[in-house]
Amino acid sequence: MMEPKINPDVIQNETDLLAAAIYIDRYVMDAIDRLDEDFEQINSLTIQTFKQLSQNKYVLNDKVLSGETELSEDVTRNLKEITLYNEQREEQFDTPVSRLQRLCACCDRSFAFYDAVAESASDEAVRARARELVSSAFERSEILKRALGKECGCDGSGCRI
């Protein structure tokens, strides 16, 4: 089974993007929690991710409560597919190295996702939010590369799994 990814083409509005970002942030936080070793350099990643998660949840709640926009069914379906896949595969990522690689891959993929949204979105608010998230995702990947380097499979051209 091929791993599903968040499809940038399903992002129709800022609500969709915020929901995807919250999903990604929660996954990153969970991946950090699953690490067997305590990497002190990752504390800044945890703090940054938590702040972004909190901010995005606040903005999303505000948008939903105001009735500004609704989450599209395509995004909901896409995130459910990814959640199901991750739950099924979780037991395969049972070594410290595989957990590190999974975290690094998630951060790299989130960068690619946000970058694709920033390039393809027709809505300026979505593009602007995606550019902010690109910057954050790049910073996450850099933190991991500095903190973990070869331990997470980074070879200078990006992390892989």
Side-chain angles (χ1 to χ4, degrees), residues 17-129:
L17 181 57
L18 288 166
I22 289 168
Y23 177 87
I24 291 167
D25 291 344
R26 284 183 177 152
Y27 188 85
V28 169
M29 295 293 290
D30 288 345
I32 291 169
D33 286 343
R34 286 190 295 271
L35 295 178
D36 290 334
E37 296 180 50
D38 184 27
F39 297 95
E40 93 178 47
Q41 303 96 330
I42 292 185
N43 289 339
S44 62
L45 176 64
T46 303
I47 292 167
Q48 183 235 29
T49 303
F50 182 76
K51 283 180 183 177
Q52 182 171 293
L53 175 63
S54 297
Q55 176 188 9
N56 287 339
K57 283 172 66 175
Y58 176 79
V59 173
L60 179 61
N61 285 337
D62 194 40
K63 287 185 174 297
V64 169
L65 290 175
S66 71
E68 201 171 309
T69 57
E70 292 185 17
L71 185 61
S72 75
E73 290 181 29
D74 289 338
V75 170
T76 303
R77 185 174 29 261
N78 192 210
L79 295 178
K80 283 182 181 179
E81 289 172 5
I82 294 166
T83 299
L84 179 61
Y85 176 86
N86 286 336
E87 288 171 355
Q88 292 171 348
R89 295 280 315 254
E90 198 57 47
E91 60 196 43
Q92 294 176 354
F93 301 107
D94 61 350
T95 67
V97 170
S98 66
R99 288 185 184 123
L100 284 172
Q101 290 175 340
R102 189 80 176 148
L103 174 59
C104 290
C106 176
C107 290
D108 278 357
R109 287 182 188 146
S110 67
F111 175 85
F113 166 72
Y114 296 137
D115 191 48
V117 172
E119 292 294 320
S120 66
S122 58
D123 183 299
E124 181 53 40
V126 173
R127 281 196 309 272
R129 176 79 60 186

Side-chain angles (χ1 to χ4, degrees), residues 136-148:
S136 177
F138 179 77
E139 187 178 332
R140 285 181 190 181
S141 291
E142 289 302 304
I143 289 169
L144 285 172
K145 288 173 188 173
R146 283 192 306 272
L148 307 173

